[in-house]
């Protein structure tokens, strides 16, 4: 048996979910769901893979629906007057939860021609188009959330964007003030979104770096990016590209092919066990 639950906008603190219907199959479990990569910011996901967050029910951004044992009898049926208040839907089958956000534009009443057994005209019709691939899948048995795109689930899991947050203005300024950096007509005002995210990651990495490891990494960056090194031995940053190269270096993205013939940058990485 399967059930479809929706989250609605309401001022009620504890009664935010309603049952839409039961015994209507919306999704199939994707065959490639075993191909998961623990979420790593900046990773370019292969088409057949999924990001995942393990121990998801213990995370602050996990929704109440996934934290407790599901029982369909705990949910009232959705009233027609609440159709426009749907924020996302959750299809549940065999302790697997398929989640899809619902855009307000989908719920605007429109004229429709429905093509089924016959053509039917609807004067005022609201619809939710069910995607082939849901925005997220939660597997209760393994306590794992799987998804393809972090930005598509931020409205469902409030706060999950902390997995890939931007550095604040203060954090950006503090990073650029490091003694290994020399700014050349460049400041925090010039740092755009992508590099602010990389700064947040680099700052976290450097917090846990021992002095010896930090020196090895800095020497490696100088080897791979000699054009960044100033006369004083610091990294001269004059553009977003310079900053990106430095941040890639701190994340140890530079490598040489086994034959020694090419130096390369890993655009994304998967850490091997």
């Amino acid at each position: 048996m399967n059930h479809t639950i929706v989250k609605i906008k309401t001022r009620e603190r504890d009664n935010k979910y309603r049952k839409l219907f039961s015994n209507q199959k919306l999704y199939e479990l994707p065959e490639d769901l075993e191909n998961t990569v623990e979420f790593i910011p900046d990773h370019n996901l292969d088409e057949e893979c999924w990001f995942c967050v393990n121990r998801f029910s213990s995370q602050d951004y996990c929704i109440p629906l996934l934290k407790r044992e599901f029982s369909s009898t705990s949910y009232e049926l959705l009233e027609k007057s609440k159709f426009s208040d749907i924020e996302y839907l959750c299809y549940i089958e065999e302790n697997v939860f398929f989640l899809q956000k619902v855009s307000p534009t989908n719920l605007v009443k429109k004229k429709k021609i429905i093509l089924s057994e016959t053509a039917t005209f609807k004067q005022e019709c609201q619809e939710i188009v069910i995607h082939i691939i849901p925005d997220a899948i939660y597997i209760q048995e393994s306590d794992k959330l799987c998804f393809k795109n972090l930005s598509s689930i931020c409205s469902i899991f409030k706060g999950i964007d902390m997995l890939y947050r931007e550095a604040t203005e203060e954090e950006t300024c503090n990073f650029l003030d490091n003694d290994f950096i020399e700014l050349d007509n460049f400041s925090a005002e010039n740092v755009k979104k992508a590099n602010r995210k990389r700064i947040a990651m680099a700052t976290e990495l450097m917090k846990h770096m021992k002095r010896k490891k930090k020196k090895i990494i800095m020497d490696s960056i100088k080897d791979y990016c000699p054009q960044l090194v100033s006369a004083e031995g610091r990294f001269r940053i004059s553009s977003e590209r310079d900053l990106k190269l430095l941040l890639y270096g701190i994340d140890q993205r530079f490598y040489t092919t086994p034959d020694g013939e090419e130096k390369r940058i890993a655009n994304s990485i998967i850490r091997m066990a």
Side-chain angles (χ1 to χ4, degrees):
M1 194 170 188
N2 58 59
H3 307 279
T4 299
I5 304 295
V6 294
K7 159 71 166 54
I8 61 171
K9 288 177 284 187
T10 177
R11 293 181 180 178
E12 297 178 49
R13 184 166 294 180
D14 299 321
N15 194 20
K16 297 179 180 180
Y17 297 99
R18 300 285 193 278
K19 183 160 68 173
L20 195 59
F21 45 65
S22 297
N23 294 323
Q24 298 291 334
K25 194 169 187 65
L26 302 189
Y27 297 104
E28 297 282 355
L29 200 65
E31 293 181 2
D32 59 5
L33 199 59
E34 292 182 357
N35 302 325
T36 58
V37 177
E38 190 149 6
F39 182 76
I40 304 169
D42 249 12
H43 176 75
N44 289 335
L45 196 68
D46 291 336
E47 186 177 345
E48 72 278 5
C49 291
W50 294 72
F51 284 127
C52 73
V53 177
N54 294 309
R55 300 177 296 280
F56 188 72
S57 63
S58 64
Q59 307 298 331
D60 291 340
Y61 40 77
C62 181
I63 57 177
L65 183 64
L66 307 184
K67 288 187 173 184
R68 52 184 177 240
E69 187 174 347
F70 177 76
S71 172
S72 64
T73 58
S74 301
Y75 301 93
E76 300 173 5
L77 281 172
L78 180 67
E79 311 96 313
K80 183 178 179 181
S81 61
K82 299 289 187 182
F83 284 178
S84 297
D85 295 329
I86 297 174
E87 293 185 334
Y88 61 83
L89 62 83
C90 181
Y91 169 78
I92 302 128
E93 184 174 0
E94 296 182 353
N95 294 323
V96 178
F97 297 69
F98 302 76
L99 297 111
Q100 179 182 315
K101 67 179 180 180
V102 177
S103 170
T105 56
N106 294 136
L107 300 174
V108 174
K109 293 181 179 179
K110 304 173 185 176
K111 295 179 180 179
K112 299 277 185 183
I113 296 176
I114 310 297
L115 303 175
S116 185
E117 296 295 327
T118 60
T120 307
F121 175 72
K122 297 285 187 181
Q123 181 68 34
E124 288 190 336
C125 180
Q126 293 171 286
E127 67 175 5
I128 299 173
V129 176
I130 302 302
H131 303 155
I132 296 174
I133 302 295
D135 293 316
I137 300 174
Y138 174 67
I139 305 168
Q140 194 172 62
E141 183 180 6
S142 56
D143 195 14
K144 178 190 293 187
L145 184 80
C146 304
F147 57 94
K148 294 278 190 178
N149 188 328
L150 182 66
S151 63
S152 70
I153 62 174
C154 288
S155 61
I156 300 175
F157 304 104
K158 302 294 173 60
I160 198 170
D161 55 349
M162 68 177 290
L163 292 174
Y164 196 8
R165 70 176 186 85
E166 292 180 39
T168 64
E169 187 71 14
E170 182 181 2
E171 288 171 329
T172 302
C173 289
N174 287 343
F175 179 81
L176 295 178
D177 281 343
N178 273 299
D179 58 9
F180 57 82
I181 291 177
E182 177 183 312
L183 299 179
D184 180 9
N185 197 28
F186 190 84
S187 70
E189 294 179 358
N190 305 117
V191 182
K192 295 183 172 58
K193 187 173 183 177
N195 271 340
R196 285 180 184 267
K197 290 181 176 181
R198 295 183 186 111
I199 285 174
M201 289 187 290
T203 301
E204 191 62 28
L205 283 172
M206 291 176 68
K207 273 184 193 176
H208 307 287
M209 255 184 220
K210 294 182 179 178
R211 185 178 298 178
K212 183 179 179 181
K213 181 175 181 179
K214 183 177 177 181
K215 184 180 185 307
I216 291 170
I217 288 173
M218 295 302 165
D219 288 345
S220 172
I221 299 170
K222 290 175 182 178
D223 180 44
Y224 279 92
C225 303
Q227 74 278 13
L228 296 184
V229 184
S230 71
E232 293 76 23
R234 293 184 289 180
F235 297 107
R236 185 187 297 110
I237 305 300
S238 60
S239 67
E240 275 271 272
R241 184 177 185 279
D242 291 346
L243 180 58
K244 181 170 74 170
L245 286 172
L246 174 60
L247 293 166
Y248 274 169
I250 292 171
D251 196 27
Q252 302 183 76
R253 297 290 191 94
F254 301 132
Y255 71 100
T256 302
T257 55
D259 58 15
E261 292 186 3
E262 281 189 39
K263 292 182 177 180
R264 297 179 179 176
I265 299 173
N267 192 39
S268 64
I269 58 173
I270 297 176
R271 289 176 175 83
M272 299 175 68

